[in-house]
Amino acid sequence: MTDKIVDLTVNDGASCSRRSVHQILIYPEGQGGISINTEDYKTLAAKEFVNDVIIDFFLNYLRLTILSEEQREKTHFFSSFFYERLSAVPSRDQRQAEKNLKMTVTQKRHNRVKRWTKNVNLFEKDFVVIPINKRNHWFLAIICFPGLDGPRTYSEGVPMRRLDRHQPIKQPCILIFDSMFEHAENHVVATLRDYLTCEYQAKVFPMANPSSHVFNERNMPSHSVKLPQQENCFDCGLFLLQYAQEFFCDPIRDFRLPIRQLENWFWPVLPTRKREEIAKLLIQLIKESHPERLDLLPHIPFPTCDGRVINEGEL
């Protein structure tokens, strides 16, 4: 892997200056790895919005390093570009290309992302993890147990009976993990249900009637989970990553809705620490693969020092 450099011109109104953007890491190495550069690294600085590259990097690290083999087998992670592509308004060229396709709007939307699951059946997974950015705000959607036909006991996995009403269950649902709870994401949930309907038609019963299985509020309910919330306007991406980490490291044991007792799931300081944590992780990975690139890393201020929160005047 060679060191890639991109020249950027910055126009400040009075003069133009040039700066170089250096690739510092590909993770994981090889085809399909995420390319991380010095500009991506800078988004870890205090009061900055972490970008999509940092989001995708840490979720990949979580999948490959922190999850158990069993968890990896039963979980599918989409990148941050998936929902953006799924929900985007088609360009004029796309509309022209799709003009003669005998598809509904929902089917056309699914058609644009169908290759994303070419080698995976989502309905064989327990969890589908989807990072989402809408209106410059990061939050997390997790589709749970999409292959189940209804509630089942959590331990034995058998269909629920009336006598089982008080024991933990697992059931198909879409959970929204949002660090600004007042955001209403009904449109997001509806888009994901429509996607699942088309995906089910394509993967499970491709020859069946399109209306044979439709995901709706009854068989795929949604729930915005009450969680620790951000206290500023720039840490939403860090909270997304903390939610994802806690979901697998401190798992929910009962998917009966509403999900309860997660308001104190983790200390609110943990997402604040995550900027420094991810930076140290990147430095360690660079040391292991390309130590000569450490000198390329810009000096940036973090809101913590070895995990201790720094006072505003110390930044």
Side-chain angles (χ1 to χ4, degrees):
M1 182 174 68
T2 58
D3 182 19
K4 295 183 179 179
I5 301 177
V6 179
D7 285 328
L8 298 180
T9 300
V10 181
N11 190 337
D12 60 7
S15 62
C16 290
S17 61
R18 299 181 69 84
R19 70 174 184 269
S20 295
V21 179
H22 297 261
Q23 183 185 82
I24 55 175
L25 185 69
I26 290 181
Y27 183 86
E29 289 193 350
Q31 187 176 5
I34 298 168
S35 177
I36 306 164
N37 63 40
T38 47
E39 291 298 298
D40 302 321
Y41 181 82
K42 286 179 181 178
T43 70
L44 291 169
K47 299 184 180 181
E48 294 290 334
F49 290 92
V50 293
N51 68 2
D52 48 10
V53 173
I54 296 298
I55 295 289
D56 289 337
F57 160 71
F58 188 80
L59 290 179
N60 265 276
Y61 180 81
L62 177 68
R63 176 177 63 89
L64 295 172
T65 306
I66 300 178
L67 267 62
S68 67
E69 184 176 349
E70 181 181 3
Q71 287 175 316
R72 282 195 298 273
E73 179 66 27
K74 301 300 290 183
T75 305
H76 183 73
F77 284 78
F78 279 117
S79 81
S80 59
F81 293 105
F82 169 76
Y83 188 82
E84 178 182 335
R85 173 68 171 164
L86 176 66
S87 61
V89 176
S91 65
R92 184 172 62 180
D93 290 343
Q94 285 177 322
R95 290 196 299 271
Q96 186 63 33
E98 295 173 344
K99 185 177 180 180
N100 296 322
L101 293 178
K102 295 182 178 180
M103 296 179 176
T104 65
V105 172
T106 296
Q107 289 170 333
K108 289 178 181 178
R109 187 183 292 132
H110 174 267
N111 190 57
R112 297 175 199 135
V113 296
K114 66 180 182 180
R115 294 183 179 178
W116 290 59
T117 55
K118 180 180 179 180
N119 299 314
V120 63
N121 185 343
L122 298 182
F123 303 97
E124 296 176 350
K125 305 296 183 181
D126 285 348
F127 306 114
V128 180
V129 180
I130 308 170
I132 298 173
N133 189 305
K134 282 181 67 67
R135 301 182 296 275
N136 296 318
H137 175 65
W138 286 107
F139 61 97
L140 184 69
I142 300 183
I143 302 171
C144 305
F145 311 108
L148 293 185
D149 56 4
R152 293 176 177 263
T153 58
Y154 191 92
S155 54
E156 291 84 11
V158 298
M160 291 288 296
R161 302 167 301 177
R162 288 187 178 181
L163 296 176
D164 298 326
R165 67 179 62 184
H166 297 300
Q167 69 170 295
I169 68 168
K170 51 185 177 182
Q171 65 171 328
C173 60
I174 299 175
L175 300 183
I176 299 296
F177 300 82
D178 192 336
S179 57
M180 297 183 72
F181 189 69
E182 68 271 14
H183 279 66
E185 301 301 345
N186 294 336
H187 179 71
V188 169
V189 171
T191 300
L192 293 178
R193 287 196 189 108
D194 288 345
Y195 167 76
L196 288 173
T197 296
C198 293
E199 187 72 1
Y200 191 90
Q201 174 69 19
K203 289 291 175 64
V204 182
F205 289 118
M207 302 303 293
N209 187 309
S211 62
S212 61
H213 190 90
V214 175
F215 286 90
N216 52 41
E217 294 180 8
R218 179 184 57 80
N219 57 31
M220 182 61 75
S222 66
H223 175 55
S224 292
V225 186
K226 290 187 177 181
L227 300 157
Q229 300 285 279
Q230 68 185 90
E231 297 180 353
N232 54 48
C233 60
F234 41 77
D235 272 353
C236 52
L238 286 309
F239 272 82
L240 181 159
L241 298 179
Q242 194 66 43
Y243 294 148
Q245 184 170 339
E246 297 297 332
F247 186 84
F248 293 102
C249 295
D250 185 13
I252 297 169
R253 297 299 184 185
D254 186 1
F255 287 83
R256 192 184 308 273
L257 303 181
I259 303 293
R260 300 186 182 278
Q261 299 180 338
L262 292 186
E263 291 92 337
N264 299 312
W265 208 9
F266 55 81
W267 291 351
V269 72
L270 293 186
T272 302
R273 291 175 177 172
K274 220 160 197 66
R275 294 179 185 272
E276 184 185 18
E277 173 191 335
I278 294 173
K280 288 183 175 180
L281 173 59
L282 286 170
I283 290 170
Q284 181 59 41
L285 292 171
I286 295 169
K287 281 182 179 179
E288 294 171 359
S289 57
H290 294 278
E292 72 280 2
R293 297 186 180 181
L294 291 174
D295 290 338
L296 300 174
L297 291 179
H299 175 74
I300 58 175
F302 298 110
T304 60
C305 179
D306 295 328
R308 180 185 66 85
V309 176
I310 300 174
N311 294 328
E312 187 76 18
E314 299 179 72
L315 289 177

